[in-house]
């Protein structure tokens, strides 16, 4: 009797532990089953991993093409401005009328800035090739987006300042007694206008490059 009472007391003191129910047919415990669409989610995730390098490589190829076009455009703008000059046919032994980009500091700065931007875009082509070969690499793309932003700002400043000078050369300003010199120096004004337009095109291409790189970086995070 004492043994039975002690056994009943132990049963009362011991905590009750619920054991998992076994399936009599298979002899396995019931576990939480995955959701019904688990396989679809995994397949979609795998497809995204496979497709991500594909579209990033396409963005890198577009970046390379636009970068090459922008480099050519910026160097063409600098070369056009640097080689544009005109001398009027009437002159004397002591007086000669000529126009050159070195006569205005703004146009001289335009040549320097566009030369720097063209050189940078040329040197950045290998980094763009790295992005094509390794589309998921973040450091080269981050380097390009930072440098492209700085070069875009420089190009816009130089082009805008030169555009103001070219506008005054075409139309003049009566309040400041600035005469429209393009009536006499037509070829010079035409050449400088073309160089300014080319510089604005290079700045627009740099803006597109910044947007593409920023979009690719956002999708990477």
């Amino acid at each position: 009797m004492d043994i039975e009472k002690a056994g009943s007391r132990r049963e009362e003191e011991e905590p009750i532990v619920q054991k998992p129910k076994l399936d009599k047919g298979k002899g396995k415990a019931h576990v939480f089953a995955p959701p019904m669409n688990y396989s679809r989610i995994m397949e979609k995730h795998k497809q995204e991993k496979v497709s991500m390098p594909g579209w990033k490589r396409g963005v890198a190829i577009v970046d390379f093409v636009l970068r090459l076009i922008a480099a050519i455009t910026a160097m063409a703008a600098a070369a056009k401005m640097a080689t544009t000059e005109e001398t009027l046919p009437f002159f004397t032994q002591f007086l000669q009328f000529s126009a050159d980009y070195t006569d205005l500091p703004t146009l001289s700065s335009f040549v320097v800035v566009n030369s720097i931007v063209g050189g940078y875009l040329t040197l950045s082509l290998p980094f763009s090739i790295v992005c094509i070969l390794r589309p998921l690499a973040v450091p080269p793309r981050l380097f390009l987006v930072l440098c492209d932003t700085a070069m875009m700002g420089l190009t816009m400043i130089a082009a805008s300042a030169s555009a103001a000078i070219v506008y005054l050369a075409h139309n003049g300003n009566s309040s400041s007694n600035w005469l429209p010199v393009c009536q006499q120096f037509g070829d010079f004004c035409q050449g400088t206008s073309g160089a300014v337009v080319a510089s604005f095109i290079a700045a627009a291409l740099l803006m597109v490059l910044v947007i593409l790189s920023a979009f690719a970086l956002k999708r990477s995070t």
Side-chain angles (χ1 to χ4, degrees), residues 6 24 28 38 50 63 70 78 87 93 96-97 101 104 125 128 144 146-147 158 166 182-183 188 206 212 217:
K24 294 181 180 180
K28 295 181 180 180
Y38 178 76
V50 172
D63 179 276
T87 302
Q93 184 177 1
Q96 184 177 4
F97 297 94
Y101 80 97
L104 296 170
L125 290 175
S128 185
L144 288 177
L146 293 176
C147 294
V166 172
C182 286
Q183 295 179 359
F188 175 77
L206 281 167
L212 285 176
L217 286 173

Side-chain angles (χ1 to χ4, degrees), residues 49-69:
K49 280 188 174 181
V50 172
S51 62
M52 185 177 293
W55 73 264
K56 282 183 176 292
R57 184 172 286 107
V59 171
I61 293 172
V62 174
D63 179 276
F64 179 82
V65 175
L66 293 179
R67 194 172 298 277
L68 181 61
I69 296 173

Side-chain angles (χ1 to χ4, degrees), residues 64-121:
F64 179 82
V65 175
L66 293 179
R67 194 172 298 277
L68 181 61
I69 296 173
I72 296 172
T73 306
M75 288 188 290
K80 183 64 178 176
M81 183 68 76
T83 56
T84 299
E85 59 180 354
E86 185 177 3
T87 302
L88 296 181
F90 52 90
F91 59 91
T92 62
Q93 184 177 1
F94 302 101
L95 185 62
Q96 184 177 4
F97 297 94
S98 63
D100 187 68
Y101 80 97
T102 56
D103 296 333
L104 296 170
T106 302
L107 300 184
S108 300
S109 302
F110 177 90
V111 174
V112 173
V113 169
N114 280 272
S115 300
I116 293 173
V117 172
Y120 156 74
L121 289 170

